[in-house]
Amino acid sequence: MNFSGLRVFTLVICAATLFSLVGMGHTVAELEAIATDEFVPEISAAAGIALASDYAESKTTAELETLAATGATIGLRTAASQALSIVYRDKTEEELTSILTGTADPMIRAAAIGPIQEYLITTTSEEEDFVLSDYLKELATTGETHEMRLAAAKAYYFVTRGDLEATSLAEQARENDSEELAYAAGAALAGFYLSFNPKTQAELEELAINGESEGLRVAGGIALGTLLINSDLTAQDLQNTLLSITGTKSAEYREAYKAALTKRFSS
């Protein structure tokens, strides 16, 4: 057996092990076993996300921050980061801003993106000409870190949601004032592709794989993920696909299958 054949054989054996674990009921121990095996990153990470709520209850903040930064696999780091997102809901705006703009590991900074949204979308100022959407868009362009800019970008598209249209969002997902704004535009556009301007699964797959910008691929990937979540595909079906596309297609396409697998793991 040549090296390629041996590698494929090894992948199949590892996948079979993962499938047998999943079929046993998704206990914490079983999910940890999957998250610890970084053989297919998206499978490992999906198990990690499914572990988040348990980790938020069973581990201290210090333990989670250490695991998020130094965990042996993407699954364990993701489990800790997602758990921190839950724990960080109790932090103040100043504390969250300090995390987002500080020098902590990116997995720790990412954990503060969700919790700070409530503060960002309700920001006020005594300045007479203050406009919240303008403030958020500026922060999404000039924020100190990627995570701060992304948090602001997501908040910007939330507060302007009443004025959004698919055509303009598609343009903004192609080109914007920052990469984070383009990403967030794509995330907002995904909703239109599922409702007002629905696309078929084949169209979403094509967009997620070959979209001309990251924002457009994100739009396709998020919408595709929702279709997969609502499909009849089993956890094993989803893992089979992730196994077959490991390191190929696009990150956004793989993320769609990861999202659906996370839902199966969490059920």
Side-chain angles (χ1 to χ4, degrees):
M1 184 180 297
N2 60 28
F3 177 78
S4 296
L6 179 60
R7 183 174 184 275
V8 170
F9 176 77
T10 302
L11 296 185
V12 171
I13 293 300
C14 291
T17 301
L18 291 175
F19 299 154
S20 66
L21 287 170
V22 171
M24 294 170 64
H26 313 148
T27 66
V28 170
E30 290 162 353
L31 288 172
E32 284 183 320
I34 298 170
T36 301
D37 189 337
E38 199 177 352
F39 151 66
V40 177
E42 290 78 16
I43 295 175
S44 180
I49 297 171
L51 282 168
S53 60
D54 179 82
Y55 274 19
E57 294 179 357
S58 63
K59 295 182 182 297
T60 67
T61 299
E63 289 173 331
L64 291 173
E65 289 175 339
T66 297
L67 186 60
T70 64
T73 68
I74 187 61
L76 293 175
R77 295 192 298 275
T78 299
S81 181
Q82 293 288 317
L84 284 172
S85 285
I86 299 172
V87 174
Y88 283 174
R89 291 172 188 167
D90 294 330
K91 288 189 175 293
T92 65
E93 181 177 9
E94 290 73 21
E95 290 172 329
L96 291 169
T97 299
S98 178
I99 294 170
L100 283 166
T101 60
T103 58
D105 186 89
M107 294 294 280
I108 295 175
R109 294 203 302 267
I113 292 175
I116 205 172
Q117 297 299 305
E118 182 177 350
Y119 294 109
L120 289 175
I121 64 177
T122 57
T123 299
T124 59
S125 172
E126 295 182 358
E127 295 181 13
E128 187 174 337
D129 59 349
F130 177 79
V131 178
L132 178 57
S133 59
D134 291 344
Y135 164 76
L136 292 173
K137 190 171 185 179
E138 175 67 17
L139 185 59
T141 305
T142 63
E144 294 178 45
T145 63
H146 162 68
E147 292 78 17
M148 185 72 255
R149 294 190 296 274
L150 184 57
K154 289 183 175 183
Y156 169 77
Y157 280 102
F158 178 83
V159 300
T160 60
R161 64 193 182 282
D163 300 321
L164 301 179
E165 297 179 351
T167 301
S168 59
L169 275 174
E171 293 174 354
Q172 293 164 37
R174 288 188 184 91
E175 186 174 353
N176 216 313
D177 292 343
S178 71
E179 293 180 359
E180 292 80 11
L181 280 166
Y183 180 100
L189 180 59
F192 286 85
Y193 287 164
L194 291 167
S195 53
F196 302 107
N197 300 85
K199 290 186 177 292
T200 65
Q201 181 168 333
E203 290 174 326
L204 292 175
E205 289 175 346
E206 171 63 22
L207 188 61
I209 297 170
N210 297 314
E212 63 186 271
S213 70
E214 180 188 25
L216 289 175
R217 293 193 300 275
V218 165
I222 291 176
L224 175 61
T226 300
L227 293 187
L228 295 174
I229 286 171
N230 294 324
S231 74
D232 294 329
L233 293 173
T234 65
Q236 181 166 335
D237 294 330
L238 296 166
Q239 288 180 99
N240 274 331
T241 298
L242 284 168
L243 174 64
S244 69
I245 62 173
T246 301
T248 64
K249 303 292 186 179
S250 72
E252 295 77 15
Y253 184 71
R254 298 194 302 274
E255 282 291 309
Y257 279 86
K258 185 183 86 174
L261 183 58
T262 297
K263 179 64 175 178
R264 299 294 186 272
F265 281 159
S266 302
S267 298

